[in-house]
Amino acid sequence: MNVSIRIDKEIYNEAKKVAKAEFRTIPHQIQYWAKIGKCALDNPDLPVEFIKDVWISKNQDRSLLEAFSCS
């Protein structure tokens, strides 16, 4: 489900720059930041880089599984 939200212009512009470099859409970049940030807040004892690497690895594995899905 998609929901429209208002977001600070500065965050939007930063997401636009990073999204282009990371080959993501602007909404996907903001979603990525939100998910990493939530994981970091939920696990304050873990370094953010570790959380990012685990999250990326988990999502890459899922996309690989979906690519070979027999459904």
Side-chain angles (χ1 to χ4, degrees):
M1 173 174 94
N2 292 327
V3 178
S4 295
I5 62 168
R6 291 179 189 256
I7 192 161
D8 182 77
K9 184 82 168 176
E10 188 176 319
I11 292 173
Y12 177 85
N13 288 334
E14 185 65 24
K16 186 176 180 179
K17 286 188 280 185
V18 175
K20 184 176 182 179
E22 297 290 328
F23 303 103
R24 293 186 183 105
T25 64
I26 296 167
H28 283 135
Q29 182 62 44
I30 294 168
Q31 182 179 14
Y32 170 78
W33 283 342
K35 287 182 179 184
I36 297 296
K38 183 180 181 315
C39 288
L41 289 172
D42 290 346
N43 300 282
D45 54 323
L46 297 177
V48 173
E49 285 298 315
F50 176 79
I51 292 169
K52 183 181 87 170
D53 291 344
V54 168
W55 192 84
I56 289 171
S57 176
K58 180 180 173 185
N59 283 297
Q60 285 176 342
D61 288 347
R62 185 182 314 149
S63 65
L64 288 174
L65 288 173
E66 290 170 1
F68 292 104
S69 176
C70 294
S71 56

